[in-house]
Amino acid sequence: MSLTRYKQKRNFGETTEPVAGKPAKGKHIFVVQRHHASRLHYDFRLEVDGVLKSWAVPKGPSLDPADKRLAMQVEDHPYDYKDFEGTIPKGNYGAGTVYIWDKGTFELLRDDGKDFDKEALKEMKAGDLKIVLKGKKLKGEFALVKMKASEDNAWLLIKHRDKYVKEKYDSEDYTPQRVKEQGLREKAAGSKKKAPSASPHRSR
């Protein structure tokens, strides 16, 4: 799959974000990165067809089936992005703090044992991708469902009912305090730099 859009949006002379990466054979990985940019959100990424298919989830993933989390599909990311953590410098696309919130492997719920990538792409095209996550925080069955009569890239991330359900789930409760504080500090520092200088008072 093409990483053209990903590369067009980034200045690799300033950001340490990876350029490429080749998946290892075998299990397919997923990663969730807490991204404290201009707006806090969580990036949900699944390895499919050699790249990381990516969605921005404003409220973060949930283990509560009652939560139907909005997930906006964004450009594909390179495989090596699974290990990216740190700060994207001010002035760059997505500037802010990136923290690996969870990672692991995933399977297709409707896996026919033949061609994993082909089946995953087929389900994505149909707007109904069902997966089983095997992470440290996120476990069990989930569905990514494309919203009808909405923006082309708007999906819902929904937890299926299974033994891993946790009601009233908030992903921020599972984020270290040091990570929260770092994101707030960097956001505040960026706001100060952008603040316009005060207009001089006119003498009356």
Side-chain angles (χ1 to χ4, degrees):
M1 301 300 287
S2 175
L3 293 174
T4 301
R5 286 185 61 202
Y6 170 84
K7 293 177 180 178
Q8 287 175 341
K9 291 183 175 184
R10 288 159 179 84
N11 180 352
F12 295 104
E14 295 184 2
T15 179
T16 57
E17 293 170 279
V19 178
K22 186 177 181 180
K25 292 184 179 180
K27 296 180 179 179
H28 288 67
I29 65 96
F30 84 91
V31 63
V32 178
Q33 287 153 314
R34 182 181 183 271
H35 191 173
H36 202 150
S38 55
R39 292 185 180 180
L40 175 63
H41 63 278
Y42 285 70
D43 291 312
F44 183 80
R45 311 190 195 281
L46 301 171
E47 177 201 335
V48 177
D49 200 23
V51 296
L52 298 181
K53 297 294 182 181
S54 302
W55 291 261
V57 185
K59 292 185 177 181
S62 175
L63 289 176
D64 188 343
D67 296 330
K68 294 177 173 58
R69 299 299 202 209
L70 176 65
M72 302 300 291
Q73 189 172 13
V74 298
E75 72 275 8
D76 294 344
H77 281 51
Y79 178 76
D80 284 354
Y81 213 96
K82 68 184 177 62
D83 299 317
F84 179 72
E85 195 171 56
T87 301
I88 300 174
K90 303 300 181 211
N92 286 271
Y93 176 76
T97 306
V98 177
Y99 166 73
I100 297 176
W101 186 82
D102 195 22
K103 68 190 308 183
T105 60
F106 79 101
E107 299 173 354
L108 297 177
L109 185 60
R110 299 174 288 210
D111 188 2
D112 59 7
K114 295 179 181 179
D115 191 322
F116 184 102
D117 293 321
K118 185 176 180 180
E119 177 59 30
L121 291 172
K122 178 182 176 182
E123 291 187 22
M124 286 184 64
K125 186 176 181 179
D128 184 19
L129 176 63
K130 289 182 170 60
I131 56 178
V132 181
L133 298 182
K134 298 182 178 181
K136 292 182 179 179
K137 297 184 177 77
L138 300 181
K139 301 176 185 290
E141 298 178 13
F142 287 79
L144 270 163
V145 181
K146 196 169 186 179
M147 295 177 67
K148 296 180 180 179
S150 184
E151 296 181 57
D152 290 341
N153 61 338
W155 296 62
L156 293 176
L157 177 63
I158 307 168
K159 179 76 182 81
H160 282 182
R161 289 201 172 276
D162 56 23
K163 64 181 181 180
Y164 299 110
V165 165
K166 290 184 181 179
E167 296 182 352
K168 297 181 180 180
Y169 190 90
D170 186 345
S171 53
E172 283 294 276
D173 292 340
Y174 300 87
T175 300
Q177 188 61 32
R178 62 174 178 79
V179 175
K180 297 179 185 179
E181 292 174 352
Q182 180 184 359
L184 290 170
R185 283 197 304 270
E186 292 185 359
K187 185 174 181 179
S191 297
K192 289 179 181 178
K193 291 179 180 178
K194 294 178 182 178
S197 56
S199 299
H201 292 291
R202 293 182 180 180
S203 57
R204 294 181 182 273

